[in-house]
Amino acid sequence: MEMQRIGIVGAGQMGSGIAQVCALAGLDVTLNDVSEAALQRGIDRMTASLERMVSKDKLSAAEASAALMRIERCVEPGGLADCDFVIEGATENVRVKQAILRQLDAVLRPGAIIATNTSSVSITKLAATLDDPARFIGMHFFNPVPVMELVEVIRGIQTSDATFEATVALARRIGKTAIDVRNSSGFAVNRILVPMINEAIFVLHEGVASAEEIDAGMKLGANHPIGPLALADLIGLDTVLAIMDVLYGEFNDSKYRSAPLLKEMVAAGYLGRKTGRGFYTY
Ligand code: NAD
């Protein structure tokens, strides 16, 4: 399938990063958000990221400005009508996503693919919103998108092989490595990563080791580039708790019970880097 124009819904942290990597790969991009102000915030974030790449000699100034020139913007979903592939990266709210998907289903040509970057909503459930669920798939990027190499490509039960293959091809074209994942709560990576972070919080709470010792242990003993508690501060403790709650609710298995200290810290507003205090002080 020939892909030239990619639509991105949501110009937030993730959407702007996805738009950036697509434009750098030479694809035309249409970026959609609910207001001009939200679109401008996305473009500003992208401009700052591209400038950092230029200052580190990863990119020439000409390549950076050419990438920005490939991005069009629109506040109406109708502006995405000529896209071959649309990635939904709007706010993590199932009703917001379902409304967007119904609009996309109506404006896109038959055969155009619709992907979602959701972290927690079932791909199968979102696909059921569409008249043609076979063209729907999960494309789960990691933050920050320009840096992180992985994309989880997640099939709902309705997803066609053609949709899967086109999505993997797009991931490769924008320089990412795709892994093939079946729809399941937390997909593959968060299902493994977040309970590990939760366990580190139990270890801290039980006084087995300090935060610094736990993080040093996992860096030096398990070869992780960052310790689990520093990573929790980076992700945001509220997000870590929300993912544990989704896993617990979905699987009804006590192994996904969130650590009491995690709940306590979220209740206190100690959410990590974004509030200046988590397991460490910033
Ligand atoms: P964000 O809050 O930074 O951005 C969301 C954007 O969506 C905002 O600009 C908002 O105005 C826009 N939006 C809301 N409703 C819209 C609509 N109807 N039409 C168009 N735009 C709309 O959020 P984010 O961190 O970029 O997350 C976006 C998605 O990516 C979520 O589904 C999230 O779960 C997922 N995700 C996030 C991360 C992460 O680390 N932040 C990682 C992987 C996946």
Side-chain angles (χ1 to χ4, degrees):
M1 180 187 155
E2 190 51 42
M3 264 185 266
Q4 191 47 42
R5 181 164 289 280
I6 310 298
I8 317 277
V9 180
Q13 223 181 144
M14 298 302 288
S16 62
I18 299 167
Q20 179 179 325
V21 294
C22 288
L24 279 176
L27 293 158
D28 297 323
V29 173
T30 307
L31 187 59
N32 166 255
D33 206 305
V34 289
S35 67
E36 272 301 333
L39 285 167
Q40 191 56 48
R41 278 194 295 277
I43 299 283
D44 290 347
R45 193 180 293 115
M46 224 181 292
T47 306
S49 165
L50 289 167
E51 280 170 0
R52 274 195 302 278
M53 289 172 79
V54 171
S55 71
K56 290 181 185 164
D57 281 333
K58 290 182 178 164
L59 202 66
S60 72
E63 286 167 326
S65 64
L68 283 170
M69 298 277 285
R70 278 189 208 104
I71 299 171
E72 285 180 10
R73 16 173 147 182
C74 67
V75 288
E76 293 300 330
L80 297 164
D82 62 345
C83 291
D84 306 302
F85 196 114
V86 176
I87 303 168
E88 176 281 309
T91 312
E92 186 75 348
N93 173 304
V94 67
R95 278 186 297 278
V96 168
K97 289 189 185 296
Q98 285 170 326
I100 292 170
L101 295 180
R102 274 191 291 273
Q103 288 170 325
L104 291 175
D105 208 19
V107 302
L108 293 177
R109 65 169 170 75
I113 291 171
I114 306 175
T116 177
N117 182 42
T118 181
S119 321
S120 66
V121 185
S122 161
I123 305 304
T124 298
K125 177 175 174 172
L126 287 176
T129 313
L130 306 184
D131 285 337
D132 176 14
R135 64 154 140 178
F136 186 74
I137 194 157
M139 201 177 185
H140 188 220
F141 288 84
F142 289 77
N143 191 14
V145 178
V147 176
M148 301 298 280
E149 204 187 317
L150 181 70
V151 175
E152 286 182 290
V153 176
I154 305 129
R155 309 184 212 214
I157 54 170
Q158 312 96 322
T159 306
S160 71
D161 289 344
T163 298
F164 174 77
E165 280 149 24
T167 307
V168 171
L170 175 62
R172 282 206 192 106
R173 172 129 186 228
I174 60 176
K176 303 298 179 196
T177 300
I179 59 168
D180 179 356
V181 177
R182 194 171 51 75
N183 184 50
S184 178
S185 193
F187 311 134
V189 173
N190 282 341
R191 165 98 174 259
I192 298 167
L193 179 69
V194 179
M196 182 204 66
I197 292 172
N198 190 54
E199 196 62 30
I201 302 170
F202 272 112
V203 170
L204 175 70
H205 198 195
E206 289 168 18
V208 177
S210 69
E212 290 79 5
E213 304 285 330
I214 291 166
D215 280 353
M218 293 304 286
K219 284 200 291 189
L220 303 177
N223 217 11
H224 290 196
I226 180 173
L229 299 173
L231 182 57
D233 280 356
L234 191 67
I235 295 171
L237 271 55
D238 50 341
T239 304
V240 172
L241 179 59
I243 296 172
M244 285 308 296
D245 286 345
V246 167
L247 291 172
Y248 188 79
E250 190 68 31
F251 294 112
N252 286 310
D253 187 329
S254 62
K255 75 177 174 181
Y256 299 113
R257 177 172 76 101
S258 56
L261 177 61
L262 173 62
K263 287 196 261 195
E264 198 65 4
M265 290 180 71
V266 171
Y270 303 158
L271 306 183
R273 281 179 185 265
K274 62 185 165 188
T275 58
R277 178 166 176 181
F279 295 106
Y280 300 92
T281 305
Y282 301 91

